[in-house]
Amino acid sequence: MKLRLHFVVDPMGWLCISVVFGIWLYNTFFVPKLVLFPHYNEGHIPWAIVVCYYIASGLCLAALFRASTADPGRLPADPHIPHAEREHWELCNKCNLMRPKRSHHCSRCGHCVRRMDHHCPWINNCVGEDNHWLFLQLCFYAQVLSLFTLVLDFCQYYYFQPLTGLDQEKFTTRHELALLRISALMGVVMFGGMSSLFYTQMTGILSDMTTIEKMAHFSNETYGAKRSWQWALAEVCGTRWKLLWLIPLRSRQPLNASHQFRSHV
């Protein structure tokens, strides 16, 4: 597996991704320390809940790292254009380079990206043909982790049994309510924002329309007939194996759209 790293030099993007990472770090540290480990040590919850929380947290971080560092589909300065596909290429009026149709020039990154959806400051990267599946994973795992966090914060006060072995002098014990309120607020904001973003991304994928094309009021009939949801997601994720759609630590291989979709899972 060969993973190429792609970094965008943008101080504002660095600030935005630092905020996202800070939210992840806060909940990954305080929720297990305040809720999971104390209740597990006293036998109130099974070990599987602790493991599941860390799996969701790890997958969320992996998706964030891969989405922010993966090449979104940057076009080379001197691309090789097959003779049979020349009619599907056009000249960019900003960088004066040839590019496939449905590509877009990102003014923030300074280059053209194949099938660019949008530039996302929260990952400090463009969302394009080669990392759209990673951005979709990030939205999904951020929803899962945020919802998991909200459920645990709620259960801490309304469902779990009271803890008996707490050290009342510890900082986390004395400020538990404030710390969990901050965690719950972050969970509500992240879950609401990521759910809305995930919905818009899924509707765009299923209708074969990027965010830029939606804003420009392009018609999806320009690019071909509507596809099944399985083929649409398989094309974005680069594989027909559905289990691999959820794994961020892999490479993506383009699919041939002329092949008929066959379910393997």
Side-chain angles (χ1 to χ4, degrees):
M1 179 179 63
K2 183 179 180 181
L3 304 178
R4 294 184 303 168
L5 297 183
H6 172 81
F7 295 100
V8 178
V9 181
D10 181 11
M12 182 58 67
W14 294 341
L15 176 62
C16 291
I17 197 173
S18 296
V19 171
V20 176
F21 178 75
I23 293 175
W24 172 87
L25 187 63
Y26 182 94
N27 285 307
T28 303
F29 177 77
F30 281 111
V31 171
K33 189 173 184 62
L34 294 173
V35 182
L36 290 177
F37 289 138
H39 286 282
Y40 171 73
N41 291 333
E42 296 192 10
H44 299 163
I45 60 175
W47 61 268
I49 294 181
V50 180
V51 173
C52 287
Y53 188 84
Y54 275 108
I55 290 176
S57 179
L59 289 171
C60 185
L61 180 62
L64 174 62
F65 174 78
R66 292 281 287 117
S68 61
T69 59
D71 186 348
R74 177 177 180 175
L75 288 166
D78 187 19
H80 173 70
I81 307 175
H83 182 75
E85 299 181 7
R86 290 185 180 274
E87 63 180 14
H88 301 295
W89 287 63
E90 60 188 8
L91 181 68
C92 175
N93 58 8
K94 295 181 180 179
C95 59
N96 294 321
L97 297 175
M98 294 299 295
R99 66 186 186 185
K101 291 183 178 180
R102 305 190 73 180
S103 300
H104 186 78
H105 186 90
C106 178
S107 57
R108 178 76 67 174
C109 298
H111 52 73
C112 288
V113 176
R114 292 192 311 272
R115 196 173 178 178
M116 177 177 168
D117 187 84
H118 67 286
H119 181 92
C120 180
W122 299 106
I123 63 172
N124 191 32
N125 200 0
C126 289
V127 177
E129 182 177 275
D130 290 345
N131 72 339
H132 200 167
W133 63 285
L134 292 165
F135 185 75
L136 198 65
Q137 284 185 5
L138 175 61
C139 294
F140 174 74
Y141 286 125
Q143 288 180 87
V144 172
L145 186 61
S146 299
L147 183 60
F148 207 157
T149 298
L150 286 173
V151 170
L152 290 174
D153 291 342
F154 176 84
C155 290
Q156 173 71 356
Y157 288 103
Y158 298 103
Y159 182 77
F160 290 153
Q161 300 178 30
L163 296 169
T164 59
L166 291 177
D167 183 358
Q168 300 299 326
E169 298 301 320
K170 291 179 64 175
F171 173 84
T172 53
T173 303
R174 289 186 287 112
H175 300 281
E176 177 185 335
L177 181 59
L179 293 172
L180 289 181
R181 282 179 175 175
I182 294 174
S183 173
L185 177 61
M186 291 178 177
V188 170
V189 172
M190 291 297 292
F191 182 76
M194 286 300 177
S195 297
S196 175
L197 188 57
F198 184 77
Y199 173 78
T200 58
Q201 289 296 304
M202 286 297 298
T203 55
I205 290 172
L206 297 180
S207 62
D208 195 19
M209 292 279 286
T210 66
T211 300
I212 292 176
E213 291 166 356
K214 287 180 181 179
M215 295 175 65
H217 304 292
F218 288 168
S219 172
N220 65 333
E221 296 179 356
T222 304
Y223 305 110
K226 291 185 177 180
R227 308 159 299 173
S228 67
W229 67 269
Q230 295 127 310
W231 174 254
L233 288 174
E235 186 180 29
V236 169
C237 296
T239 178
R240 291 185 287 268
W241 293 89
K242 296 177 184 177
L243 289 178
L244 295 181
W245 295 357
L246 301 174
I247 300 177
L249 297 177
R250 64 175 180 87
S251 59
R252 175 189 179 274
Q253 297 296 330
L255 293 181
N256 188 347
S258 63
H259 291 172
Q260 185 178 3
F261 181 90
R262 297 188 300 273
S263 177
H264 290 272
V265 179

